[in-house]
Amino acid sequence: PPANFAVHVNGAAWAGWVRQSSPACAAASVAGAWNALACGGRHASRAVRQDDVVAHLERCLEEQIRQKRARFERLLGAPTDEFEAELDAAIARDPSGKTLGGRSKIDKGMKRADVMRVVVDVAKEHGTRELDARDAAVESAAAAAAA
């Protein structure tokens, strides 16, 4: 006997659908949901596209990074620009050949333990130079004051 079945399509959800133009399915889903529920479809004036959601998420992440960097510099008492540049160079020189975030799902990035090893190495090497320079300046100033 033939099977009975039915198909139900929600018109609002269908009208909200947006094309996924890159591997950002979460952003396309958010855009489609927004369009279906909040603004009357993908052709409405307030409709959003996948790229709009990706751009918003990027701005949110950039703000989080800025806040974390500012907090870290405040706690450290020094800017981190040089350290970040040294860290990037050390990761590029790492014998594993891996990058910080990876190149693809197949070519994954460095593991957390490896990143932390590189961070500690850079901090020791970079920090030691700065501390040695500071100590030399203090000793020089003390010798000049004693003379």
Side-chain angles (χ1 to χ4, degrees):
N4 292 328
F5 69 92
V7 175
H8 176 76
V9 176
N10 182 306
W14 188 256
W17 175 86
V18 294
R19 180 177 305 281
Q20 183 179 332
S21 58
S22 68
C25 53
S29 296
V30 169
W34 170 263
N35 294 342
L37 299 173
C39 68
R42 67 182 169 273
H43 300 295
S45 62
R46 293 183 1 200
V48 295
R49 298 170 299 129
Q50 171 189 323
D51 294 343
D52 299 324
V53 176
V54 169
H56 175 73
L57 293 173
E58 188 175 339
R59 286 190 304 274
C60 290
L61 288 173
E62 286 171 352
E63 177 60 18
Q64 288 177 355
I65 290 168
R66 189 196 64 72
Q67 289 175 352
K68 288 177 189 260
R69 181 177 285 130
R71 181 175 185 267
F72 185 70
E73 289 179 347
R74 192 172 50 256
L75 292 171
L76 185 62
T80 61
D81 298 343
E82 266 186 60
F83 178 77
E84 288 181 50
E86 290 285 333
L87 183 59
D88 288 341
I91 288 171
R93 289 190 309 267
D94 192 71
S96 71
K98 295 196 177 289
T99 62
L100 188 58
R103 292 179 185 88
S104 69
K105 287 183 179 180
I106 296 169
D107 187 9
K108 297 184 187 265
M110 295 176 82
K111 293 185 177 175
R112 180 177 168 79
D114 294 330
V115 172
M116 292 311 297
R117 173 187 46 80
V118 174
V119 166
V120 168
D121 290 347
V122 169
K124 284 180 180 175
E125 191 260 321
H126 190 68
T128 301
R129 274 197 325 247
E130 289 182 356
L131 291 174
D132 289 346
R134 187 193 68 189
D135 291 345
V138 168
E139 288 174 13
S140 176

